[in-house]
Amino acid sequence: MKPKCVVVDSSQSPYSLLKPVSVDSVKLKDGFWAPRIKTLIEVTLPTQYELLEETGRIDNFRRTAGKMETEFKGLFFNDSDVYKWVEAASYALAYDGDSRIERIVNSVITDIVDAQDPDGYLNTYFTFERRAQRWTNLRDMHELYCAGHLIQAAVAHYRATGRRTLLDAGVKLADHILSIFAPGKRQGTPGHPEIEMALVELYRTTRRSAFLDLAKSFIDNRGKGLIGGSLYHIDHKPFRELDEIVGHAVRSVYLNCGAADVYMETGDGSLLRALERLWQNMVNCKMYVTGGLGSRYEGEAFGENYELPNRRAYAETCAAVANVMWNWRMLLVTGKAEYADIMELALYNGALAGIGLDGETYFYVNPLVDRGLHRRSRWFDCACCPPNIARLIASISGYFYSTSRDGIWIHIYATSEASIEFNGGLVKMTQNTDYPWSGHVEITVYPEKLSEFSIFLRIPGWSLKTATALNGKPLDFNLKPPQYLEIKRVWEKGDVISMDLDMRVNVLSSHPYVLENSCRVALKRGPLVYCVEQTDNPDFDVWDLMLSPDSSFNIMQRPDVLNGICTIQCDGFAVERILTSLYFRLEEDTVKLKPVKFTAIPYYAWANREPGPMIVWIPTFNTNLIKQYPL
Amino acid sequence: MKPKCVVVDSSQSPYSLLKPVSVDSVKLKDGFWAPRIKTLIEVTLPTQYELLEETGRIDNFRRTAGKMETEFKGLFFNDSDVYKWVEAASYALAYDGDSRIERIVNSVITDIVDAQDPDGYLNTYFTFERRAQRWTNLRDMHELYCAGHLIQAAVAHYRATGRRTLLDAGVKLADHILSIFAPGKRQGTPGHPEIEMALVELYRTTRRSAFLDLAKSFIDNRGKGLIGGSLYHIDHKPFRELDEIVGHAVRSVYLNCGAADVYMETGDGSLLRALERLWQNMVNCKMYVTGGLGSRYEGEAFGENYELPNRRAYAETCAAVANVMWNWRMLLVTGKAEYADIMELALYNGALAGIGLDGETYFYVNPLVDRGLHRRSRWFDCACCPPNIARLIASISGYFYSTSRDGIWIHIYATSEASIEFNGGLVKMTQNTDYPWSGHVEITVYPEKLSEFSIFLRIPGWSLKTATALNGKPLDFNLKPPQYLEIKRVWEKGDVISMDLDMRVNVLSSHPYVLENSCRVALKRGPLVYCVEQTDNPDFDVWDLMLSPDSSFNIMQRPDVLNGICTIQCDGFAVERILTSLYFRLEEDTVKLKPVKFTAIPYYAWANREPGPMIVWIPTFNTNLIKQYPL
């Protein structure tokens, strides 16, 4: 039986409410994602491949296989970039089958499997002169991390193409790891989590429970001091005792992904409870308004609660990708719309900002305010982010739908056609919408045969008033979003669900302990966080902007700007400075306000034109407070 | 002739307006500095010495001298901590001569000089197995930095005691360095500046111009790529082309100190112009309100302009000490009161916060807001800060006065008796004041013989209205502070100058590009920046405090609190939170204001009682803006 190309295969997971729908069952026909997939295939994957070659990352495999004589090049974990690229390219093959990409993927896979030792070991850094150091430093040397990415690539390639070459290599490597770290043998846990989710996916693909047990043991072994006991490594406590999300942001959230995967298979409630605590802490105290994660450059780490600096935000692109991955798993487990909201937030903002509109420049770090110095690069020495955002975009259609025993769930809205297997039959669904620019969505349902089931329609938390109709007749419902609206009926071919999400501009403010956001607001419309960029506002420095709290917002469709966006136009004031010193007495006259109109663009689209200042959190008058204070 | 124990010996410097007055010419009798000197001698110096012993820092010298067999212990630049301690202890000997300290100093000096190679080399890290690596890595290995601290200690010990043992060792080491790096030989420059000012002081002490030339060449060699060309090392440009203060904050400001020292001797205007540009940039764009420097943990570095995060402020104690040192040199060169203001600011706030009231616990990093987690430590692996703040406090009386051709300059106010050599005679001066708690200062002048000269009285910039009188008769003057008020007359024994500085609480706000300080103010009274600490305000979390902009301030003398301080009491509001989520819509009712009274304490005194939140920048209503905005 040909495998299904799903992103997380919870189809047989006993503790997952939702079952995935494969990447290739959804044909994108929209103006938002479809062009990004096209760019991915035409630009992103080829240019990344060229850079993998140029930087010696693939030569490292050739060297290991004895095909060329050269030194190891680059960082000790560079193999993982190749694996992530293979994973991204595999998803692309699932729905496209672009022959150029396929040829490259096959050649890269050949180089990978040729580099594998007869005993299954595979890591191009630990060969020849460094062979003796294998598995001697789990904390720092990323061997398990690289192995995890190989396994994820192998599973993705198998699911996309049905070919077993890379999968066999992944199994062989996993068997080698089992020979050392299987429960009962040497205890270990990785300094950089990643392999946990990979092993669970390998278990799902092979049904060999040893892989699941190994994943579980890696989580169980945290907090035992095996890798030094640091907060940075999330090794300071047993996983099940964690109540605050800490440490290196990507490691921390990858670990949570792995724990969620283990939960789906084992139903270990202590894991789920820890995950829920960590999620609450993250969402209520440690997440940027963009879904970005990681407040500190040092350690690429979460900060303390409410420590969310904007200018020196780290918010690594990989961490936003990880945020999508974790929330996807939590959503699969629970079917709760809170997780879909955060997944969407991180996807459309924190993650998507990580790649330029050109498809070949990337942010590693994603500040929320800038003086025009922060620009995307074609590559990084530590190039984790480019192939990570690539694999997310490449697999995006796998996040659109799920099924449960009761019906079909819709998570992401975009004009598309889907063929969903449900209850032994096929249900075709088309979406027509300009989402995320418009909140109007029309879904037409074509069940292969007449049958009763539910359609679960995601109502995002940001939609304050939502109208829905079935075949033109308004649906009456009363739920507080985020929620899935369940519409249960005997579905007939051509049934149309329409929905109008509330696309008003939400003016967001922050908990006052986010010290940098005092008297500042962010504009959000639908799932998109906006920012004000200099190039749209030539008459004043955007750092001098203040928002009038009673402003109304004009939404302008601009197909000509930034590959097509809606801008927000609004009234505000530009501050004219009288004093320029750093500190002055409050009573001195320092500024004058000058009325201005300003234009905001989606945050994901910033830094795609000429450099200039950018700001997300705009100063305003705190009217709530002023009203209470008798001036 | 017995040398004079001065902090920077500009007495023969042709391009320095001011000449120093020695540490031991001023007898402190005040309630602020005198008890600190007592604590320094009784607690700080002995406990630091114990830690130098415990951590193997002095054993490293004994090992090098062949007196004991052991491994090198600690970090490769640990010698410098011993030298800085010797420098601090030497100043203490200058005015005290405590026999216990003297005995220890002598023994440490013996261990140091015994460790010196016959060729003059002295660095305990680069001995035995690492001997071959000497001078191979100027960028990273701090050999010139350690040498600089030895020379500074040697000069200080010689000036304090007249003994040449350590000075001879310093000269021998400097000669060794000359044998390698003298102009015309190998080009070099240190990764961590420090030796520049040391060599100029050695030149001043020995009058050997080779030392000055070497200092000058180290500055001239910056920006040539000799140490990699990084911004971090301030090697990205030639020194004379710098216009923005960047890089590792301590290195950057030490370099400026060295350049100022070279300027004093050479009159090279291109150095002074660069220093003035860097100072303007620092003071107008990159300095904390406490005089603290360094916005980033990564690189312990200056950030971009206006990048001054409060919670993750780095503001290393050493950087505030360096700020005092640099401004002292700029003041000596120019006699301009701006420099005295910043020197005072960094001294009473950023630097002094670095040592606990107990005299034996230290901050390395000095945040301006905290949740109660940041506490002082007895020591650090990288222990640069403890002996640095010790040497500053130990030499404080050397910063009180200067002389110029025209008269005597008074920089720091504290009850004290001074004997100042001027124009071939002695002028005794007593100060009577409760400064910094009170702005009333009485200075009585006792010239040995009747003579005409000026007394230059420092009027700080923060004193908005200043009254002065001579022998009870008000002086009429019109100057905009910061300025030195020149009082020229034929001084008679017992002439009394009285001065009343304006001690109103100044409510400071920041340039709006300091994003974190929007709608926030800091309270400053006299030279002291205040903070609000939880322990004084049990009824609300100090992070929930808002200041009423029309508040009046009550100053309370509290001899019982924190070794005697004035507190500020004031009206404000505590915010009661209705919503606790991280982000919410501005229009939601999220807070209620509750009137409260609150107490603020000097920033330098925080974290000396039970842990709890602390805040310097207090939210308020931006009335200037609100008045302009028609709500």
Side-chain angles (χ1 to χ4, degrees):
Chain A
M1 196 181 80
K2 189 179 175 304
K4 288 208 182 63
C5 187
V6 298
V7 178
V8 170
D9 188 3
S10 62
S11 52
Q12 297 185 61
S13 306
Y15 299 94
S16 173
L17 179 69
L18 302 189
K19 309 301 170 189
V21 166
S22 70
V23 167
D24 54 336
S25 358
V26 181
K27 311 286 175 215
L28 295 167
K29 309 202 155 186
D30 69 320
F32 194 88
W33 291 110
R36 282 183 163 73
I37 298 288
K38 188 165 181 287
T39 304
L40 181 94
I41 290 167
E42 291 174 3
V43 180
T44 309
L45 292 174
T47 53
Q48 288 193 359
Y49 170 70
E50 279 163 33
L51 283 155
L52 292 175
E53 286 285 9
E54 268 175 38
T55 58
R57 281 168 165 85
I58 299 178
D59 283 348
N60 286 338
F61 287 93
R62 297 182 184 123
R63 166 184 180 264
T64 303
K67 296 177 193 170
M68 66 194 296
E69 287 204 20
T70 174
E71 290 297 291
F72 178 89
K73 291 207 195 72
L75 300 173
F76 57 92
F77 51 85
N78 274 2
D79 289 1
S80 61
D81 303 325
V82 178
Y83 300 145
K84 268 191 281 190
W85 181 88
V86 171
E87 187 184 343
S90 298
Y91 295 127
L93 295 181
Y95 50 72
D96 182 85
D98 180 284
S99 63
R100 183 177 160 213
I101 299 289
E102 190 174 7
R103 210 174 51 241
I104 304 173
V105 169
N106 289 342
S107 124
V108 172
I109 286 177
T110 300
D111 284 328
I112 293 172
V113 299
D114 287 352
Q116 189 164 35
D117 262 18
D119 72 355
Y121 186 88
L122 179 44
N123 186 308
T124 70
Y125 184 75
F126 290 99
T127 51
F128 306 122
E129 70 283 8
R130 279 184 288 261
R131 200 188 160 89
Q133 297 165 41
R134 289 179 181 179
W135 308 122
T136 55
N137 184 348
L138 292 190
R139 188 187 70 185
D140 303 321
M141 297 311 291
H142 291 8
E143 276 168 295
L144 291 171
Y145 169 83
C146 288
H149 275 304
L150 169 62
I151 293 167
Q152 283 193 320
V155 167
H157 188 253
Y158 169 69
R159 288 180 187 164
T161 65
R163 298 182 58 180
R164 306 193 64 102
T165 324
L166 197 60
L167 182 66
D168 289 343
V171 168
K172 208 167 146 189
L173 175 56
D175 275 330
H176 173 80
I177 295 171
L178 274 174
S179 75
I180 299 165
F181 295 105
K185 302 191 175 185
R186 177 177 155 197
Q187 286 202 318
T189 197
H192 196 315
E194 147 65 23
I195 195 169
E196 299 83 351
M197 51 182 149
L199 286 169
V200 178
E201 287 282 58
L202 194 62
Y203 157 72
R204 289 167 178 153
T205 307
T206 63
R207 306 311 296 172
R208 284 185 48 198
S209 58
F211 298 143
L212 174 62
D213 295 343
L214 182 59
K216 185 176 166 303
S217 80
F218 283 148
I219 290 164
D220 295 346
N221 283 344
R222 302 199 85 81
K224 292 184 178 172
L226 297 172
I227 52 167
S230 79
L231 209 91
Y232 171 86
H233 293 100
I234 318 106
D235 191 43
H236 57 299
K237 274 187 187 181
F239 183 83
R240 291 168 180 79
E241 292 173 22
L242 294 175
D243 49 13
E244 184 177 353
I245 197 157
V246 294
H248 185 275
V250 177
R251 299 179 199 223
S252 200
V253 180
Y254 276 11
L255 176 61
N256 296 344
C257 290
D261 275 322
V262 170
Y263 173 79
M264 283 187 232
E265 307 305 327
T266 64
D268 177 347
S270 63
L271 288 179
L272 185 61
R273 284 190 295 277
L275 287 168
E276 285 168 344
R277 285 194 303 273
L278 293 170
W279 189 89
Q280 288 291 342
N281 175 242
M282 177 179 84
V283 167
N284 289 319
C285 304
K286 297 199 181 186
M287 186 179 70
Y288 284 99
V289 72
T290 56
L293 303 176
S295 306
R296 296 182 181 176
Y297 272 65
E298 57 288 1
E300 309 188 310
F302 285 107
E304 294 176 22
N305 286 342
Y306 306 112
E307 182 189 326
L308 292 161
N310 293 313
R311 191 169 183 176
R312 294 292 285 174
Y314 201 70
E316 184 181 337
T317 300
C318 281
V321 171
N323 201 10
V324 174
M325 289 161 55
W326 181 25
N327 278 284
W328 177 238
R329 283 159 175 78
M330 298 301 282
L331 176 60
L332 291 175
V333 167
T334 63
K336 285 190 184 163
E338 296 91 298
Y339 300 118
D341 268 18
I342 303 298
M343 182 178 88
E344 180 183 66
L345 179 75
L347 174 63
Y348 281 88
N349 302 284
L352 210 50
I355 183 165
L357 295 181
D358 56 14
E360 56 179 333
T361 55
Y362 308 92
F363 276 148
Y364 193 112
V365 167
N366 291 277
L368 278 77
V369 66
D370 182 54
R371 285 303 297 162
L373 296 171
H374 192 73
R375 309 302 291 176
R376 292 187 185 81
S377 302
R378 290 196 69 222
W379 200 242
F380 308 96
D381 288 339
C382 170
C384 49
C385 298
N388 216 355
I389 184 72
R391 66 181 181 145
L392 175 64
I393 292 174
S395 60
I396 190 66
S397 54
Y399 292 90
F400 273 53
Y401 294 93
S402 302
T403 59
S404 68
R405 208 184 43 193
D406 297 331
I408 298 172
W409 299 59
I410 314 181
H411 309 303
I412 297 186
Y413 300 113
T415 295
S416 55
E417 290 177 8
S419 252
I420 299 165
E421 288 182 25
F422 179 72
N423 257 351
L426 271 186
V427 180
K428 295 198 176 182
M429 298 181 87
T430 64
Q431 290 191 31
N432 251 300
T433 175
D434 261 332
Y435 194 87
W437 311 118
S438 150
H440 182 70
V441 183
E442 286 197 1
I443 295 155
T444 315
V445 187
Y446 302 94
E448 217 177 27
K449 51 183 185 194
L450 220 72
S451 76
E452 189 185 51
F453 63 91
S454 294
I455 287 178
F456 295 86
L457 205 59
R458 175 173 165 250
I459 316 283
W462 47 259
S463 179
L464 301 178
K465 284 184 183 172
T466 306
T468 58
L470 181 66
N471 298 326
K473 198 182 150 204
L475 290 169
D476 207 20
F477 63 94
N478 183 13
L479 51 77
K480 187 176 152 35
Q483 283 279 358
Y484 283 85
L485 173 64
E486 179 176 0
I487 311 172
K488 184 176 183 178
R489 69 186 248 109
V490 179
W491 292 93
E492 296 180 27
K493 283 191 175 69
D495 276 348
V496 176
I497 305 166
S498 65
M499 174 169 68
D500 284 285
L501 296 169
D502 186 346
M503 297 300 280
R504 80 178 75 178
V505 174
N506 284 315
V507 180
L508 300 183
S509 66
S510 309
H511 191 290
Y513 287 7
V514 183
L515 302 174
E516 211 172 305
N517 292 353
S518 287
C519 302
R520 290 176 187 271
V521 291
L523 305 182
K524 193 173 170 218
R525 180 170 181 267
L528 299 178
V529 175
Y530 276 67
C531 68
V532 187
E533 205 176 24
Q534 193 59 56
T535 185
D536 300 305
N537 300 281
D539 296 337
F540 56 94
D541 190 308
V542 299
W543 280 37
D544 287 328
L545 182 67
M546 291 197 77
L547 183 76
S548 321
D550 51 1
S551 293
S552 59
F553 301 98
N554 284 323
I555 308 305
M556 307 275 284
Q557 291 197 29
R558 295 294 302 269
D560 53 318
V561 174
L562 293 162
N563 294 0
I565 58 169
C566 286
T567 62
I568 298 176
Q569 299 205 311
C570 179
D571 290 322
F573 297 93
V575 165
E576 285 183 352
R577 223 174 311 297
I578 299 161
L579 279 185
T580 58
S581 59
L582 187 51
Y583 305 111
F584 40 80
R585 285 177 306 112
L586 184 64
E587 66 216 62
E588 294 179 87
D589 278 331
T590 55
V591 294
K592 258 192 191 158
L593 298 183
K594 177 184 77 171
V596 294
K597 290 205 181 298
F598 72 89
T599 297
I601 61 159
Y603 173 75
Y604 77 73
W606 84 280
N608 280 294
R609 296 170 296 179
E610 62 273 33
M614 180 278 291
I615 191 159
V616 170
W617 287 98
I618 308 164
T620 189
F621 306 90
N622 194 328
T623 46
N624 267 342
L625 290 176
I626 293 168
K627 276 180 220 149
Q628 293 184 51
Y629 179 73
L631 283 166
Chain B
M1 196 183 81
K2 190 179 174 305
K4 287 209 183 63
C5 187
V6 298
V7 178
V8 170
D9 188 3
S10 61
S11 51
Q12 297 185 61
S13 306
Y15 300 94
S16 175
L17 178 69
L18 302 188
K19 309 301 169 188
V21 167
S22 72
V23 168
D24 54 335
S25 349
V26 180
K27 310 286 173 215
L28 295 167
K29 307 203 156 185
D30 70 319
F32 194 87
W33 290 110
R36 282 183 164 73
I37 299 288
K38 188 166 181 286
T39 303
L40 180 95
I41 289 167
E42 290 176 2
V43 180
T44 308
L45 291 174
T47 52
Q48 289 193 358
Y49 170 70
E50 279 164 31
L51 283 155
L52 293 174
E53 285 285 11
E54 269 175 36
T55 58
R57 280 169 166 83
I58 298 178
D59 282 348
N60 286 338
F61 288 92
R62 296 182 183 125
R63 166 182 178 267
T64 303
K67 296 176 190 169
M68 67 193 296
E69 289 204 17
T70 174
E71 290 298 292
F72 178 89
K73 291 207 194 74
L75 301 173
F76 56 92
F77 51 85
N78 274 2
D79 289 1
S80 62
D81 303 326
V82 178
Y83 301 144
K84 268 191 282 190
W85 181 89
V86 171
E87 186 184 344
S90 297
Y91 295 127
L93 295 181
Y95 49 72
D96 182 85
D98 180 285
S99 63
R100 183 178 160 213
I101 298 290
E102 191 176 5
R103 211 173 52 243
I104 304 173
V105 169
N106 288 342
S107 122
V108 171
I109 287 177
T110 301
D111 283 328
I112 293 171
V113 299
D114 287 353
Q116 189 164 36
D117 262 18
D119 72 354
Y121 186 88
L122 179 43
N123 185 309
T124 70
Y125 184 75
F126 290 99
T127 51
F128 306 122
E129 70 283 8
R130 278 184 289 260
R131 202 188 159 89
Q133 298 165 41
R134 289 178 182 179
W135 308 121
T136 56
N137 184 349
L138 292 190
R139 188 187 71 187
D140 302 322
M141 297 311 290
H142 290 9
E143 276 168 296
L144 291 172
Y145 169 82
C146 289
H149 275 303
L150 168 62
I151 293 167
Q152 284 194 319
V155 167
H157 188 252
Y158 168 69
R159 289 180 186 164
T161 65
R163 298 183 58 182
R164 307 193 64 103
T165 325
L166 197 59
L167 182 64
D168 290 343
V171 168
K172 207 167 145 187
L173 174 55
D175 275 330
H176 172 81
I177 295 171
L178 275 175
S179 75
I180 298 166
F181 295 105
K185 302 191 174 186
R186 177 175 156 198
Q187 286 202 317
T189 198
H192 196 315
E194 147 65 25
I195 195 169
E196 299 83 353
M197 53 183 147
L199 285 169
V200 179
E201 287 282 56
L202 194 62
Y203 157 72
R204 288 166 179 154
T205 308
T206 63
R207 305 312 296 172
R208 284 186 47 200
S209 58
F211 298 144
L212 174 62
D213 294 343
L214 183 59
K216 185 176 166 301
S217 81
F218 284 149
I219 290 166
D220 295 346
N221 283 342
R222 301 200 87 81
K224 293 184 180 173
L226 297 173
I227 52 167
S230 79
L231 209 91
Y232 171 86
H233 292 99
I234 317 106
D235 190 43
H236 57 300
K237 274 187 189 180
F239 184 82
R240 290 167 181 79
E241 293 174 21
L242 294 175
D243 49 14
E244 184 177 351
I245 196 159
V246 295
H248 185 276
V250 176
R251 299 179 199 221
S252 200
V253 180
Y254 277 10
L255 175 61
N256 296 344
C257 291
D261 275 322
V262 170
Y263 172 79
M264 283 187 232
E265 307 306 326
T266 65
D268 177 347
S270 63
L271 287 179
L272 185 61
R273 284 190 295 277
L275 288 168
E276 284 168 346
R277 286 194 303 271
L278 294 169
W279 189 89
Q280 287 291 344
N281 175 241
M282 177 180 84
V283 167
N284 289 319
C285 303
K286 298 200 180 184
M287 186 181 71
Y288 284 99
V289 71
T290 56
L293 303 176
S295 305
R296 297 183 179 174
Y297 271 66
E298 58 287 1
E300 310 188 309
F302 285 107
E304 293 175 23
N305 286 343
Y306 306 112
E307 181 188 327
L308 292 161
N310 293 312
R311 191 169 184 176
R312 296 291 285 174
Y314 201 70
E316 184 182 338
T317 299
C318 282
V321 171
N323 202 10
V324 174
M325 289 161 54
W326 182 25
N327 278 284
W328 177 237
R329 284 160 174 79
M330 297 301 281
L331 176 59
L332 290 176
V333 167
T334 63
K336 285 192 183 160
E338 297 91 298
Y339 300 117
D341 268 19
I342 303 298
M343 182 179 88
E344 179 182 67
L345 180 75
L347 174 64
Y348 281 90
N349 302 284
L352 210 52
I355 184 166
L357 294 181
D358 56 16
E360 56 179 334
T361 55
Y362 309 92
F363 276 147
Y364 193 112
V365 166
N366 291 277
L368 278 76
V369 65
D370 182 55
R371 286 302 299 162
L373 296 170
H374 192 73
R375 310 301 291 176
R376 292 188 185 80
S377 302
R378 292 196 67 224
W379 199 242
F380 308 96
D381 288 339
C382 170
C384 48
C385 297
N388 216 354
I389 183 72
R391 66 181 180 146
L392 176 63
I393 292 174
S395 60
I396 190 65
S397 54
Y399 292 90
F400 274 54
Y401 294 93
S402 303
T403 59
S404 67
R405 209 184 44 194
D406 298 331
I408 297 172
W409 298 60
I410 314 181
H411 310 302
I412 298 186
Y413 300 112
T415 295
S416 55
E417 290 177 7
S419 253
I420 299 165
E421 289 182 23
F422 179 73
N423 256 353
L426 270 185
V427 180
K428 293 199 176 183
M429 297 182 88
T430 65
Q431 289 190 33
N432 252 299
T433 175
D434 261 333
Y435 195 88
W437 311 119
S438 149
H440 183 70
V441 182
E442 285 197 0
I443 296 156
T444 315
V445 187
Y446 302 94
E448 219 175 25
K449 52 184 184 196
L450 221 72
S451 75
E452 189 186 53
F453 61 92
S454 294
I455 287 179
F456 295 86
L457 205 60
R458 175 174 164 248
I459 316 284
W462 48 258
S463 180
L464 302 178
K465 285 183 184 172
T466 305
T468 58
L470 180 66
N471 298 326
K473 196 181 152 208
L475 291 170
D476 207 21
F477 63 93
N478 183 14
L479 51 77
K480 187 174 152 37
Q483 285 278 359
Y484 283 86
L485 173 64
E486 180 175 0
I487 310 172
K488 185 176 183 178
R489 69 186 248 109
V490 178
W491 293 94
E492 297 181 24
K493 283 193 174 68
D495 277 347
V496 176
I497 304 165
S498 66
M499 174 170 68
D500 283 284
L501 296 169
D502 186 346
M503 297 300 280
R504 82 178 73 176
V505 174
N506 283 316
V507 181
L508 300 183
S509 65
S510 308
H511 191 290
Y513 287 8
V514 183
L515 302 174
E516 211 173 305
N517 291 353
S518 286
C519 302
R520 292 177 186 271
V521 291
L523 306 182
K524 193 173 170 217
R525 181 172 182 267
L528 299 177
V529 175
Y530 276 67
C531 68
V532 187
E533 205 177 23
Q534 193 59 55
T535 186
D536 300 304
N537 300 282
D539 296 337
F540 56 93
D541 190 307
V542 298
W543 280 36
D544 287 328
L545 181 66
M546 291 196 78
L547 183 76
S548 321
D550 51 0
S551 293
S552 59
F553 301 99
N554 285 320
I555 308 305
M556 307 275 285
Q557 291 198 28
R558 295 294 302 271
D560 53 317
V561 173
L562 294 162
N563 293 2
I565 58 169
C566 286
T567 62
I568 297 176
Q569 300 204 312
C570 179
D571 291 320
F573 297 94
V575 164
E576 287 184 349
R577 222 173 313 296
I578 298 161
L579 279 184
T580 58
S581 58
L582 186 52
Y583 306 110
F584 40 79
R585 285 177 306 112
L586 183 64
E587 67 215 61
E588 294 179 88
D589 277 331
T590 55
V591 294
K592 257 190 191 161
L593 298 182
K594 178 184 76 171
V596 293
K597 288 203 181 301
F598 72 91
T599 297
I601 62 160
Y603 174 75
Y604 76 73
W606 85 280
N608 279 294
R609 297 169 297 179
E610 62 273 31
M614 179 279 289
I615 191 160
V616 170
W617 287 98
I618 309 164
T620 190
F621 306 89
N622 193 330
T623 46
N624 266 345
L625 290 177
I626 292 167
K627 275 181 220 150
Q628 294 184 52
Y629 180 71
L631 282 166

